Amino acid sequence: MGTLSTNIASLLGNGVCICFSSTWLFVISLSSLLLFNFTSAQSSLCRTTCGDIPINFPFGIDDGCGSAYYRNLLACSDTGKLEFRTPSGRYPVRNISYADPHILVVDPFMWNCQDRDEFRPTRPFSLDSSTHFSLSTQNEYLFFDCREDDVIIKPKPSFCERFPERCDSSCDSASYLCRHLPDCPMALSSSSCCSYYPKAMESLRLMLQYCSSYTSVYWRTVGVTPPYDQVPEYGIRVNFDNPVTIRCLQCQDISKGGGTCGFDTQTQSFLCLCKEGNSTTYCNDPGNSRHNKRVAMVSGTVAVLSFSGAVGIGAGIWYLNKLRDKAPVTCGVQSNENRLF
């Protein structure tokens, strides 16, 4: 208390004018800093859903959760909408399958049934080649109103629809999907349509230089008897690798504490996130006892410091109010009449 009073007196004696509003601003700022330190010392669990979409390993929507390979690639909006981040933008996620690892995303810039022959400005969808994502071969791309002087458009044999890698790079004007557009087979009345599977992102960008628009259709498995076991739907299927490791399986094991697989945000090395603190193995590992105690000790120390800081701040306010009652203060003006000391 004496030290705090001396420091305040020293500030005022050096010509620093403290008004009531600025005093409270100082108090609020210092209190916020202490509260932030206290909060950051607590261990937290990762969110497991975004809207109605489950978020499981290897993904995470909180930093430090899931695999470091997919850090910051998924984001959950304030309204509970999951988005997928790529170099070409942020795209709504319709579904995530973990059994058959893939993400289904929607590109709002692509053609849809409501557009009909009116083509909106579009942009090519792209993926970062350094990530563990890849475009599925179950995607089929339809291009509309292409310039025939620049794009080779011709009908292909029927087997090319299932095995495009065995055929040439022309755009198939006899495509089944062009003749039976999903949900709206009669949407196009005057525009051409052809199907083409780009083998690289650059091919997709080049096609859009000569075509008015495009869309992506993927074949969704419905689990009935072939050949009717797949139905076409609009969207982009993006496959992902699931890097499940022995350490992650041990971390998730209920008998070993039932932790959550994550990573160190500084080093990106594996961490098992537990209610009592983080572990490099699993939650109930006896070798983690010191680590867990250290986490608890840090939290307790910050709590004590926060309480002490609050007491000190309260004493400082009382002392300033006492001084203010004894002498007039005019903020911004320093004279012999308004000096406190």
Side-chain angles (χ1 to χ4, degrees):
M1 176 66 186
T3 303
L4 179 62
S5 303
T6 302
N7 291 339
I8 293 173
S10 176
L11 286 172
L12 294 171
N14 289 331
V16 177
C17 180
I18 302 178
C19 300
F20 182 74
S21 59
S22 61
T23 301
W24 279 105
L25 181 61
F26 167 77
V27 171
I28 292 171
S29 300
L30 186 56
S31 300
S32 300
L33 180 60
L34 291 171
L35 180 61
F36 172 78
N37 288 338
F38 174 74
T39 304
S40 63
Q42 305 301 305
S43 60
S44 61
L45 298 180
C46 305
R47 285 177 288 175
T48 56
T49 60
C50 179
D52 58 353
I53 299 179
I55 306 299
N56 301 328
F57 189 85
F59 298 121
I61 51 178
D62 300 294
D63 199 20
C65 300
S67 170
Y69 291 143
Y70 300 103
R71 184 180 188 180
N72 298 329
L73 294 180
L74 291 181
C76 188
S77 69
D78 295 336
T79 58
K81 302 296 184 182
L82 188 63
E83 294 180 322
F84 176 50
R85 293 170 171 167
T86 79
S88 56
R90 297 168 67 124
Y91 302 91
V93 176
R94 183 183 298 169
N95 183 41
I96 299 179
S97 172
Y98 296 94
D100 178 19
H102 72 272
I103 296 178
L104 181 62
V105 301
V106 179
D107 186 351
F109 291 93
M110 286 185 173
W111 181 90
N112 58 55
C113 289
Q114 288 72 34
D115 293 335
R116 306 186 71 84
D117 288 301
E118 300 294 329
F119 301 112
R120 296 173 289 114
T122 187
R123 64 187 184 192
F125 177 84
S126 65
L127 290 175
D128 185 350
S129 59
S130 66
T131 65
H132 289 246
F133 289 108
S134 61
L135 286 175
S136 171
T137 56
Q138 293 178 240
N139 296 323
E140 202 163 324
Y141 299 91
L142 305 181
F143 292 86
F144 305 106
D145 201 26
C146 299
R147 299 202 299 263
E148 295 189 19
D149 291 341
D150 300 296
V151 178
I152 301 175
I153 302 175
K154 65 179 183 179
K156 292 183 178 181
S158 58
F159 74 85
C160 291
E161 295 182 0
R162 293 294 182 179
F163 306 100
E165 68 279 358
R166 299 182 184 179
C167 301
D168 60 28
S169 58
S170 61
C171 198
D172 183 13
S173 59
S175 165
Y176 170 85
L177 290 177
C178 280
R179 291 180 284 111
H180 304 86
L181 288 171
D183 302 330
C184 52
M186 305 300 293
L188 298 177
S189 59
S190 59
S191 302
S192 63
C193 172
C194 63
S195 175
Y196 173 70
Y197 183 81
K199 297 181 179 179
M201 290 298 173
E202 185 61 29
S203 300
L204 179 59
R205 286 190 285 269
L206 288 173
M207 284 291 290
L208 285 179
Q209 291 182 14
Y210 308 115
C211 302
S212 297
S213 187
Y214 84 119
T215 193
S216 174
V217 177
Y218 79 104
W219 291 90
R220 181 172 64 89
T221 302
V222 294
V224 297
T225 304
Y228 306 104
D229 58 334
Q230 292 184 322
V231 295
E233 288 189 3
Y234 293 104
I236 307 172
R237 174 175 166 142
V238 180
N239 295 338
F240 64 87
D241 299 329
N242 197 345
V244 177
T245 62
I246 297 298
R247 288 189 300 178
C248 182
L249 294 175
Q250 288 182 333
C251 172
Q252 295 173 331
D253 191 342
I254 299 298
S255 65
K256 296 182 181 296
T260 301
C261 299
F263 59 92
D264 188 307
T265 57
Q266 299 297 323
T267 65
Q268 300 194 32
S269 58
F270 173 81
L271 280 181
C272 184
L273 310 180
C274 313
K275 293 181 179 180
E276 301 297 327
N278 300 335
S279 167
T280 56
T281 53
Y282 51 89
C283 297
N284 292 345
D285 187 352
N288 292 329
S289 57
R290 292 184 179 180
H291 175 77
N292 292 337
K293 288 180 180 178
R294 190 182 307 116
V295 172
M297 181 179 68
V298 170
S299 301
T301 303
V302 175
V304 171
L305 290 176
S306 300
F307 176 78
S308 302
V311 172
I313 290 170
I317 294 173
W318 172 84
Y319 187 76
L320 284 174
N321 288 336
K322 182 178 178 181
L323 293 175
R324 190 188 305 108
D325 293 337
K326 291 183 179 180
V329 176
T330 303
C331 288
V333 179
Q334 177 66 36
S335 66
N336 291 329
E337 286 75 25
N338 63 29
R339 289 180 64 93
L340 293 181
F341 299 93

